[in-house]
Amino acid sequence: MSQNNSVAAVVPAAGVGQRMQSTQPKQYLRLAGATVLEQTVKALLQDPRIAHIYIATSATDPFFPKLSFASDRPITRVDGGATRAASVQSGVAAAHAAGFTWVAVHDAARPCLTAQELTTVLDEALADDVGALLALPVADTLKREGDNLRVQATVAREQLWQALTPQVFRSEALLNGFAQLGVDNPQLTDEASVIEALGQQPKLVQGKRSNIKITLPGDEQLAQLWLTAKS
């Protein structure tokens, strides 16, 4: 496989998952016989173009060394940071130093990524001048909150999309963006926002509603159901 078609996956996994109200980070909860992070790595291996996986964890993470990945491709741990952007920057820098032009950044807590989604977003990104991300057209009515949990306004949902991952961009572009904007910038909530801040327009690729991010209590049960049905 040519290096042009090889992609490094970067998985930021240094978060503690406070909203899950769990005694351990959400990426280490067990689902369908493995941890969330192990299931996520398995999902990323569904496309042969993913040639190397970089996982950014806390330097003192006690859980990661206990994991077992069934992978025929290298997996490298790098030190994550205090923010998602800092962890992503660490992984992207390692991938860029290893010669990868493209990186696919994927949330550690999205274990239900399908092979079709992964293949499609890679196809679209590698053929694009900017890059691409999985996303979903917003289906629900959106409300803007005012004071005291009262509805201030209904937000028009036309042309609104919910960003998912993977998000696939050139490693050099992301590193340039982090250097210019900083990894503590609150506006950098995903990788597409870095590229957007540089004045570019990433391509939207429709994903699946099953590609959920485990964030709140109960999300892990939905992921469990999907992974069990899939296997």
Side-chain angles (χ1 to χ4, degrees):
M1 183 182 300
S2 70
Q3 186 69 5
N4 289 338
N5 287 329
S6 295
V7 179
V10 173
V11 181
V16 296
Q18 292 178 330
R19 284 178 289 181
M20 276 297 294
Q21 303 171 16
S22 174
T23 57
Q24 60 185 343
K26 58 191 176 184
Q27 61 267 30
Y28 298 120
L29 297 174
R30 293 193 67 82
L31 293 179
T35 64
V36 171
L37 184 53
E38 286 167 331
Q39 296 283 14
T40 296
V41 167
K42 181 180 178 181
L44 285 168
L45 294 171
Q46 293 176 110
D47 192 293
R49 287 171 292 184
I50 299 295
H52 198 133
I53 298 178
Y54 295 87
I55 303 175
T57 76
S58 165
T60 57
D61 187 324
F63 302 103
F64 185 82
K66 301 175 184 178
L67 301 189
S68 176
F69 299 104
S71 173
D72 57 349
R73 281 153 271 176
I75 295 174
T76 301
R77 193 202 71 82
V78 297
D79 286 345
T83 64
R84 175 199 169 86
S87 293
V88 170
Q89 193 274 343
S90 180
V92 173
H96 186 70
F100 286 99
T101 301
W102 290 92
V103 292
V105 183
H106 188 54
D107 294 324
R110 284 192 195 272
C112 301
L113 173 70
T114 65
Q116 181 190 22
E117 286 176 292
L118 178 58
T119 295
T120 303
V121 75
L122 290 177
D123 286 346
E124 295 286 350
L126 270 59
D128 195 81
D129 291 337
V130 178
L133 66 149
L134 284 181
L136 277 174
V138 171
D140 297 319
T141 298
L142 297 178
K143 304 293 184 182
R144 177 170 283 114
E145 174 193 341
D147 295 334
N148 300 317
L149 291 179
R150 298 288 181 177
V151 174
Q152 182 184 79
T154 297
V155 180
R157 66 190 177 201
E158 286 74 23
Q159 296 182 297
L160 287 184
W161 291 64
Q162 173 189 345
L164 310 176
T165 67
Q167 302 191 3
V168 187
F169 298 107
R170 287 177 175 82
S171 56
E172 186 174 13
L174 284 174
L175 292 177
N176 288 342
F178 288 133
Q180 291 181 40
L181 304 164
V183 294
D184 298 320
N185 189 321
Q187 294 182 324
L188 304 184
T189 54
D190 66 355
E191 293 62 58
S193 60
V194 179
I195 302 301
E196 292 161 40
L198 297 177
Q200 300 183 67
Q201 296 180 314
K203 187 169 186 178
L204 293 162
V205 177
Q206 186 162 336
K208 295 181 180 295
R209 203 163 296 281
S210 55
N211 187 5
I212 63 170
K213 183 180 181 182
I214 298 172
T215 305
L216 299 172
D219 290 347
E220 76 282 9
Q221 296 173 25
L222 292 174
Q224 170 88 20
L225 287 171
W226 171 250
L227 289 171
T228 303
K230 185 180 171 186
S231 61

